[in-house]
Amino acid sequence: MRRFNLIVILLCFLVPVDHAMAQAALAYEAIQPARIKVGESAILRVTSFGRLKDITLPTVPGLTFEYLGRQQGLEYVNGTGVDASFIQIRVTPQFASVFTIPALAPGAQAIGLEVVKGDEPNPYRFPSQQPAPPKLITASLPKGEQLQAGGAVFVHLAIPTRDIYVGESVPVDIELGLRPGIVTTINGLPTLTGSDFTLNNLSKEPERREESIDGNDFVVLTWHSAIAAVKPGDFSLAAQTPISVKLTTLSGADKAVASRMAWGLLSSLYNGIAPKEVKFESAVSTMKVLPLPTDGQPADFSGAVGNFHVSSDISPVAAAPGDPLTLRLHVTGAGNFDRVDSAMLGKLDHWKTYPAKSKFTPNDTVGYQGEKVFEQPLIASQSGEQSIPGLQFSYFNPNTRRYEYAQTQPLNVTIGGSQASGGTPNAAVMAQALQGLRADHPASRHSMRDLRPLYFQALYLATTTGLALLLAGGLFIVRPSAVRASSKAGERLMAKVEAAARAGDAAGFFEAARQALLKTGQSGQDVERLFALADEVKYSHYRPVDKELQHWLGVVRGHLLGEGR
Amino acid sequence: MGRPLVAMLIAILALGGSQAFAQTSPPTYSADSLYNLGNSYARAGKPGLAVLSYERAALLTPGDADINANLAYVRAAAQVPVTAPSRFARVALAIRPSWAAWLGVLGLALIGAGLLATKIAQRYSRMARSGVVLGAALIALTVSNAMLLWPRLHEAVVLVDQTPARVSPAPMADTAFVLREADSVSITAEHEDFVFIRSRGGSSGWVASASLEEVVPRSPRL
């Protein structure tokens, strides 16, 4: 009875669920996979609970739909099998994009399909699906090298086998093989033994690869560099690297005891293995350095050894007089670029040349290959079509074993806005606008050799200065005449006498007259009479009448100015 | 036989002498020929060279109405600012500088003679004083003429349109401002291939010498 009640209760729960599913999830669509590449296809599956009528294939630009078939079966919902109809459609994209496929059955929803070109990573890939580790490359020990530090280290110097020339830069590789776990640290960059070579531009970050050598895993570090010989001769050279490796520190006796008393235990008890810094050297290589031939050495040879090519350009190709142009010489190739030099253009007619600057852009890590660009500013002083002569660069080619020349082609530039052919770009417009000029003048015979006005010319200035000095000297030399001098003094004294007469001051008049006559050294009877009258006026209060005063004024004027005498 | 040889020798010597004279003789300037040359340049659409020729012609005859009219006309056509001369400048530049120079000499002589006369003879003192005053006036006229023309000796005319004036005398230096063709500038300094100029607007900068031509050439190129 209890079991029956339980079944009834379950049915009471299931019926609404079934009814709800019939109402809400009448049909749905799914596409697998949801992300495909161009050229692949996906399967669109339409599921309907209940009877599913035939559907019409949608029209989506870029997608092709192909009806595959219909099936009947059970669809399990929450563990319960429900009758359902399935329709399968193949979807094939024509290009990469994100498509939206509309709902095909009532109650279903539109779904998306992402189509990629094929080279993008799949973002839906399970994160744990990492690529399998590559299998180690099986390699052998470099020729001539031996494993050191108990088989944990090897150093190899790879150099060219041919003879090189003094100053020539040749690429070299320094390989360092290490067994992980035994080698603890690298305590410095590799160096070359001996001072006959210079190691240039050693790469700080070595290339790293893993190899299996003699059945043991090695990490091989490779430094790229270039060496240059400073003098001719036969030389030996090797590379060395300071490394810390785990080495046993036990003596021979300790090792014998340890071998009898279980090595692993003793090594742990007495710490018989410790890191130790050791410099490991590569096998010695020999190299023959030849001197540069003196025969045929160009005068402008700067020491460049290698294989080079040159080209040139100028910008802008059209400019106005006075505008700077930049002439560039491009030297590309392989060799000792530090010795690649060019004086560019020296003195060039109608051009002002400036010192050149250079810039090197390497194409590798060691600066053995690359491009060196020389830039020289130029300024044209003359207008018209100008030609820049070709540039020449000499170097020694170690392959052909002789000096070679690389030469560029001449460059043509147009210097506009000139005095001869230029004018403004709108010269025609300007000429048209200037039709209202006043007419020409008839040619005159009068001409001058200097545009500077006459008073700015040296000859004129010298002439006028001489004339002025002459006149000044004349004025200094010529003395005024005695008569003229006395008359001037007489004028001054006479002015005082006249002033006293005009004022009616008889005492002042006779006193001024006496002083004037005394100063000018006048004498005579009338003068003595005037002196006597002056005394009378001064001491006896004699007052002459105006007529008498005018008389004596005339006498004084006659003596002082010579009037009426 | 001998006479043709002598004649040929004389001809060769004469030709060589004339060529040597032509090479060594300095160029001569005429106000009228410079004015006509400026007209030719103006009609050819070269305002820079036209203004340069007019400026040179005006240096010889500053009071010439045709020269001043065409100079102002070409500057206006080239969209270069034109400044009208002051009344004082018109008066002072009414006579040719060469005449002004000789008038200055005359004025100097009058002053000297007047001073000497007043020192030597009293009888002509009034006349001597008048001579001194007249001489001083003539010298003042000459000095005014010279003062007004003095700046033109250091002027130059821009011959290339859109000439950059740079902040330093280097080809790659930044451009401070740009000058128009036919613009007049004054040169205050020079450094290698650059001259330091001051424009009529008061701006200063370094300009390539090749873009300018001085009104009074030190080494004539034209």
Side-chain angles (χ1 to χ4, degrees), chain A residues 369-393:
Chain A
Q369 294 180 334
E371 179 187 36
K372 197 167 190 176
V373 180
F374 295 86
E375 288 188 349
Q376 184 177 31
L378 304 174
I379 292 181
S381 60
Q382 195 175 54
S383 59
E385 293 289 334
Q386 307 263 2
S387 179
I388 306 292
L391 299 168
Q392 184 172 284
F393 169 68

Side-chain angles (χ1 to χ4, degrees), chain A residues 220-245:
Chain A
V220 181
L221 305 176
T222 305
W223 283 269
H224 301 286
S225 181
I227 61 171
V230 296
K231 59 184 179 182
D234 295 322
F235 300 101
S236 323
L237 70 160
Q240 61 180 12
T241 308
I243 296 171
S244 293
V245 294

Side-chain angles (χ1 to χ4, degrees), chain A residues 250-327:
Chain A
L250 295 177
S251 63
D254 290 339
K255 286 181 181 176
V257 173
S259 63
R260 291 195 295 271
M261 299 181 67
W263 159 250
L265 181 61
L266 282 180
S267 64
S268 61
L269 289 177
Y270 296 107
N271 193 19
I273 296 177
K276 185 178 181 182
E277 182 175 333
V278 183
K279 282 190 175 180
F280 295 97
E281 281 194 11
S282 67
V284 175
S285 303
T286 59
M287 179 171 278
K288 186 173 185 178
V289 180
L290 302 173
L292 289 172
T294 55
D295 293 339
Q297 188 177 84
D300 61 342
F301 178 64
S302 61
V305 181
N307 193 5
F308 302 101
H309 305 279
V310 297
S311 63
S312 65
D313 65 71
I314 191 167
S315 63
V317 294
D323 284 354
L325 292 87
T326 303
L327 175 65

Side-chain angles (χ1 to χ4, degrees), chain A residues 35 114 116 120-127:
Chain A
R35 186 177 190 270
E114 183 182 1
V116 297
E120 295 93 338
N122 186 0
Y124 306 114
R125 180 171 55 84
F126 197 66

